[in-house]
Amino acid sequence: MANTSPLRRVITGASIGNAVEWYDFAIYGFLATFISVKFFPPGNETAALLNTFAIFAAAFFMRPLGGFFFGPLGDRIGRQRVLALVILLMSGSTLAIGLLPTYASVGVFSPLGLLLLRCLQGFSAGGEYGGGACYLAEFSSDRRRGVVVAFLVWSAVLGFLLGSVTVTLLTTVLPDGAMASYGWRIPFLLAGPLGLVGLYIRLRLEDTPAFAELSEADEVAASPLREAVTKAWVPILQVIGLMIIHNVGFYVVFTYLPTYFIKTLHFSKTASFVSITTASVVALVLILPLGALSDRIGRRPLLIAGALGFAVLAYPAFLLLNSGSLVTAILAHCLLAAIEAVFVSVSLVTAAELFATRVRYSGLSIGYNVSVAVFGGTTPYVVTLVAARTGNDYAAGIYVVTAAVVSLLAVLTLRETAAKPLQTLGVTAPAAP
């Protein structure tokens, strides 16, 4: 019982901070239709939406840079300090988006300012997810590591849900036209106080026992980036492959489909909200039990099941989405969310278990952020563009199937890591005494 309270405090701190980060990042996607009107010239609605998603994707190309910067920094000075810094940067840049003038006011400087702030968001987010996974993995016992790290994924979905609820409530309670006029700014402005809460919590946390042990033994890597790239390049590549469907599935389910419901399926915004809310709740209900299950049966069975589920069922799910029935479309959305929950409940802890403590933050941040930059943030743009040019409303389904097959191949290269002592995992051995 003595160890329960500190672990709960750590889980709460990491999860709340992560939820705030993902709320900040998610509201951009939920407000895409408003942003496309406010920050780009009028005349071509599809082009404006594509430009909005292009800036969404551009932020993700900054994430590897953030990973290359914050990962090694976390391996040198500790996880806790870096996690406090990234939430400060993320919240500040999100708040600033809420203060940006529109295209009608300042012309081209409006989308340029949006691009700059989104890139800052992406840079700071590059240190969040990998750092949070390292933090929780290193605090957890070996036999509960799956469910403990699953809290981080759970909190990411919660952040997306909070973003959706905030936007929808504002749309519902504000007078006609108010959302388009000024209401879209409110979710961004809320990032200020939310970020301060997350920062306060993270500043009160301690660093992990694993990093403290390294530091006391004077075994902290002098150049963790070089050490990770030269000695842990195989697990970095495995993480990149593993995270392809993790990210493609995540951004299709939680970012692309809400817009897809409105623009392609021509359902109301209320219907879109009901669908994303229901799908998010499905994922929230499943993630933690599945993380706990992986501590019992291993990571590989769930990873294989999730990748196969997407490969087999993603395209049929898009057929159901386009059936014309709202109930059927929502059920299809929930099916995709359930499959995503199976995979993401264990993919993050698996990635953390591939690296030694000396380079865990660096290796995981590099692998995860390279994958999310190429295959995650680009997903809404790519599938919107392909669907617009080909007229194929199932483009996202085909994209998900392809990503699932690639990730399945990556999963098959992994050895089982569940319940093994964390200090024995990873290809980089600690420095000799």
Side-chain angles (χ1 to χ4, degrees), residues 2-95:
N3 292 330
T4 303
S5 181
L7 181 59
R8 283 181 178 172
R9 193 162 56 245
V10 164
I11 290 173
T12 301
S15 298
I16 289 179
N18 191 59
V20 171
E21 290 267 3
W22 285 97
Y23 163 87
D24 292 351
F25 221 71
I27 53 176
Y28 183 93
F30 291 123
L31 292 167
T33 53
F34 293 100
I35 292 171
S36 64
V37 173
K38 291 296 180 180
F39 289 93
F40 297 96
N44 189 327
E45 186 175 338
T46 300
L49 189 59
L50 281 172
N51 286 333
T52 303
F53 281 140
I55 289 182
F56 182 83
F60 280 82
F61 288 114
M62 291 297 295
R63 291 185 70 146
L65 295 180
F68 277 100
F69 177 79
F70 290 114
L73 188 63
D75 281 327
R76 285 201 306 269
I77 70 171
R79 286 70 163 117
Q80 179 265 345
R81 293 179 184 176
V82 174
L83 288 173
L85 176 60
V86 294
I87 195 172
L88 181 63
L89 290 176
M90 169 67 83
S91 300
S93 55
T94 306
L95 173 66

Side-chain angles (χ1 to χ4, degrees), residues 338-352:
I339 299 171
E340 176 69 1
V342 173
F343 195 87
V344 300
S345 64
V346 292
S347 53
L348 196 58
V349 67
T350 302

Side-chain angles (χ1 to χ4, degrees), residues 187-208:
F188 291 105
L189 297 176
L190 288 175
L194 288 175
L196 289 177
V197 171
L199 178 63
Y200 173 78
I201 292 171
R202 288 190 168 179
L203 287 174
R204 291 171 60 86
L205 297 176
E206 299 176 352
D207 222 315
T208 69

Side-chain angles (χ1 to χ4, degrees), residues 310-383:
F310 272 131
V312 174
L313 297 174
Y315 191 80
F318 269 83
L319 294 178
L320 294 175
L321 281 166
N322 285 268
S323 67
S325 165
L326 175 60
V327 173
T328 303
I330 292 174
L331 289 175
H333 197 173
C334 291
L335 172 63
L336 291 171
I339 299 171
E340 176 69 1
V342 173
F343 195 87
V344 300
S345 64
V346 292
S347 53
L348 196 58
V349 67
T350 302
E353 291 170 337
L354 293 176
F355 299 96
T357 303
R358 285 167 59 86
V359 296
R360 183 168 293 120
Y361 204 150
S362 299
L364 178 50
S365 293
I366 293 168
Y368 175 79
N369 287 299
V370 167
S371 188
V372 76
V374 179
F375 302 104
T378 59
T379 294
Y381 181 85
V382 169
V383 296

Side-chain angles (χ1 to χ4, degrees), residues 93-281:
S93 55
T94 306
L95 173 66
I97 290 177
L99 300 173
L100 273 178
T102 64
Y103 187 89
S105 301
V106 296
V108 71
F109 292 104
S110 180
L112 286 177
L114 180 64
L115 176 62
L116 177 64
L117 291 171
R118 284 289 298 165
C119 286
L120 183 57
Q121 278 188 323
F123 184 75
S124 61
E128 168 60 32
Y129 218 37
C134 293
Y135 194 75
L136 290 181
E138 291 174 3
F139 258 110
S140 171
S141 65
D142 295 326
R143 294 196 173 275
R144 297 188 61 205
R145 201 161 51 235
V147 68
V148 169
V149 177
F151 271 97
L152 199 72
V153 184
W154 184 87
S155 69
V157 178
L158 180 64
F160 269 82
L161 180 59
L162 289 174
S164 174
V165 169
T166 301
V167 171
T168 304
L169 283 177
L170 287 171
T171 304
T172 303
V173 303
L174 290 178
D176 291 342
M179 193 67 187
S181 175
Y182 65 86
W184 64 270
R185 295 184 183 273
I186 296 175
F188 291 105
L189 297 176
L190 288 175
L194 288 175
L196 289 177
V197 171
L199 178 63
Y200 173 78
I201 292 171
R202 288 190 168 179
L203 287 174
R204 291 171 60 86
L205 297 176
E206 299 176 352
D207 222 315
T208 69
F211 182 80
E213 183 179 333
L214 271 186
S215 184
E216 289 172 8
D218 199 24
E219 292 179 354
V220 173
S223 181
L225 178 59
R226 184 173 65 228
E227 189 171 323
V229 172
T230 58
K231 297 185 179 181
W233 60 271
V234 171
I236 288 175
L237 291 178
Q238 289 174 319
V239 170
I240 291 174
L242 180 69
M243 291 298 171
I244 290 175
I245 190 58
H246 174 117
N247 288 305
V248 168
F250 202 94
Y251 287 99
V252 164
V253 172
F254 298 109
T255 300
Y256 175 73
L257 282 183
T259 301
Y260 186 82
F261 260 70
I262 298 168
K263 294 295 183 181
T264 302
L265 303 181
H266 304 294
F267 292 125
S268 66
K269 290 180 180 179
T270 300
S272 176
F273 167 73
V274 170
S275 188
I276 186 59
T277 301
T278 308
S280 298
V281 170

